[in-house]
Structure formats: structure tokens, C-alpha cells
Amino acid sequence: MNIKEFWELCKLVLTDWRVIFIAIFFIVFSSLAGYVVKYKKKPPKPKKKSKLLENAAAKKTEKKNEKENEEA
């Protein structure tokens, strides 16, 4: 087999639909596997309390403290 026949054979092999399909499948599969291995779920960001809720909570705490002071 000479060089010309060898290159023709390589071209036939590389342009075969089965070889192309397996190459694409391998690339997609390895990319997916890499994603799964590196995936880390980020913890949820703490929700910021609105100023209205903070003010309401502060008022409730103040009322509780006032009631406790009156009872004592």
C-alpha cells in the first residue's frame, strides 16, 4: 500500500457517518460528564428583609419588653 492509497483510506474512514456520529457522541458525553463532576450547587442567597418588616419586628420586640417591664 502506498501513501496515496493510505490517505484515501483515511479519508474514507474519517468521512464515514458512523465515525462522525461516535466522535460527536463522545464529545457531548465527555462534556456532560465534566459538567456533572464540576457542578456544585451554590447555597441560596439570604433574602434581605425589607425595612417595613424590620420596623414591624422591632416594634413587636419593644412592646414585649414594655409588657415584661410592667409586669415586673
Side-chain angles (χ1 to χ4, degrees), residues 1-14:
M1 176 182 275
N2 60 21
I3 298 286
K4 185 177 181 181
E5 291 174 348
F6 175 73
W7 286 117
E8 288 178 16
L9 179 62
C10 287
K11 182 180 174 185
L12 289 173
V13 169
L14 293 176

Side-chain angles (χ1 to χ4, degrees), residues 40-46:
K40 291 183 180 177
K41 188 172 185 180
K42 295 179 183 178
K45 293 181 181 178

Side-chain angles (χ1 to χ4, degrees), residues 6-63:
F6 175 73
W7 286 117
E8 288 178 16
L9 179 62
C10 287
K11 182 180 174 185
L12 289 173
V13 169
L14 293 176
T15 57
D16 186 36
W17 69 270
R18 293 169 286 211
V19 174
I20 294 170
F21 174 77
I22 298 231
I24 292 171
F25 176 78
F26 179 75
I27 291 169
V28 170
F29 182 77
S30 61
S31 297
L32 179 64
Y35 173 77
V36 169
V37 167
K38 292 179 183 180
Y39 179 77
K40 291 183 180 177
K41 188 172 185 180
K42 295 179 183 178
K45 293 181 181 178
K47 295 181 180 178
K48 293 182 180 179
K49 291 183 179 179
S50 69
K51 291 183 179 180
L52 294 175
L53 291 176
E54 289 177 3
N55 290 338
K59 287 180 183 177
K60 284 182 182 179
T61 307
E62 288 175 7
K63 287 181 182 179

